[in-house]
Amino acid sequence: MQKTKHSVIEDVFALISAGLFVAFGVYLFQSQDLMVGGAAGLALLGTYAFDMDFGLLFFLINLPFYTLAWTQISKRFTINTFISVTTVSVLTEQIPAFVDISHVNPFFAAVFGGILIGVGMLMMFRHSSSLGGVGIMAFYLQQRFNIRAGTFQLTVDSCILLSALFFISWPLVLISILAAFCLNMVISLNHRPERYFPVLGEDSSDKAKTESKKADAKRVDNNERSSIDSELRAQNG
């Protein structure tokens, strides 16, 4: 199965668009004191523990993981992830200057914010990128120590949500679990590489079968012609 190769312009536009999706989802979460998993969740926790903005914390948390991504995954993945993380870090600090939410239902913020972040992450995956942090570590542990990435990610996200109980009320934590469910549903239902080129795979298989049948038919036809020629030569002889 061939992988689609994107141009640099396509990558940059897609990653900035994805960053906007993620940043607005995080903005909705922040407006209702909701939590999310991964590096973004760690950054949100950090905003409660330290007097720092989410964007700066998110950027700093991801710095140690770039070396791991550069050496264990690929240079392109690392560069694209850096673009994604930087975009999210910048946009989350700039969105309040353009959007003012006076009221939003926490359940709507959880569902819509989770879907927005999920779609943004899906776009990043399709362009060899990620939100960095925990995702990079999960990939490394799976490749190096055969620890399942999904299990590691789920464990870290659970710890982040449990830690959030020290800073936010338990009803908000429960709503945050709903947000995490929506986010992961978007990814699990859509991030299936084997579905990206189903027609191509089927066409290639059908084409190979057709060519094989043609070759067989040609061999049979040639054998029949050879047999007829032999009979004609025998009769003429």
Side-chain angles (χ1 to χ4, degrees):
M1 183 182 297
Q2 281 185 320
K3 291 183 179 180
T4 302
K5 293 184 177 179
H6 300 282
S7 67
V8 174
I9 294 177
E10 289 174 332
D11 275 347
V12 172
F13 180 78
L15 296 180
I16 291 176
S17 300
L20 184 58
F21 273 79
V22 173
F24 196 78
V26 171
Y27 176 67
L28 286 175
F29 284 0
Q30 286 182 303
S31 70
Q32 299 302 309
D33 292 329
L34 299 179
M35 191 58 57
V36 69
L42 290 174
L44 282 174
L45 281 178
T47 59
Y48 291 104
F50 307 102
D51 186 20
M52 296 178 67
D53 294 327
F54 169 85
L56 178 58
L57 275 173
F58 184 62
F59 183 81
L60 294 176
I61 286 172
N62 278 286
L63 287 179
F65 296 99
Y66 291 131
T67 301
L68 190 62
W70 187 274
T71 56
Q72 300 297 325
I73 303 179
S74 73
K75 296 178 176 61
R76 180 192 175 196
F77 176 84
T78 308
I79 293 171
N80 285 356
T81 297
F82 180 82
I83 293 173
S84 298
V85 170
T86 304
T87 301
V88 172
S89 299
V90 172
L91 289 178
T92 50
E93 299 307 316
Q94 298 303 315
I95 284 179
F98 299 94
V99 179
D100 180 21
I101 298 179
S102 57
H103 172 72
V104 59
N105 184 281
F107 288 97
F108 177 82
V111 173
F112 190 53
I115 291 174
L116 282 175
I117 296 175
V119 171
M121 291 177 67
L122 187 65
M123 293 171 66
M124 292 175 185
F125 295 157
R126 297 285 177 89
H127 288 264
S128 298
S129 181
S130 74
L131 280 177
V134 178
I136 295 175
M137 179 60 73
F139 179 88
Y140 170 73
L141 291 176
Q142 179 169 283
Q143 296 298 314
R144 183 70 175 81
F145 301 104
N146 201 30
I147 298 174
R148 299 190 64 169
T151 302
F152 176 78
Q153 185 94 33
L154 178 62
T155 301
V156 173
D157 289 350
S158 299
C159 291
I160 291 173
L161 290 173
L162 287 175
S163 300
L165 287 171
F166 291 101
F167 304 101
I168 61 178
S169 62
W170 66 265
L172 289 178
V173 172
L174 291 179
I175 297 175
S176 298
I177 293 175
L178 171 64
F181 173 78
C182 294
L183 189 161
N184 284 286
M185 283 298 292
V186 171
I187 296 175
S188 63
L189 292 177
N190 294 280
H191 186 53
R192 298 188 178 185
E194 71 275 9
R195 289 185 176 179
Y196 293 171
F197 307 102
V199 177
L200 177 61
E202 292 170 3
D203 288 348
S204 298
S205 177
D206 292 342
K207 186 177 180 181
K209 291 179 181 178
T210 302
E211 293 296 330
S212 178
K213 289 180 181 179
K214 287 183 178 179
D216 291 339
K218 188 175 182 180
R219 281 195 296 271
V220 171
D221 187 49
N222 288 337
N223 290 336
E224 290 178 352
R225 288 182 180 179
S226 178
S227 177
I228 293 173
D229 290 341
S230 297
E231 290 179 3
L232 290 175
R233 283 197 295 270
Q235 292 174 3
N236 291 334

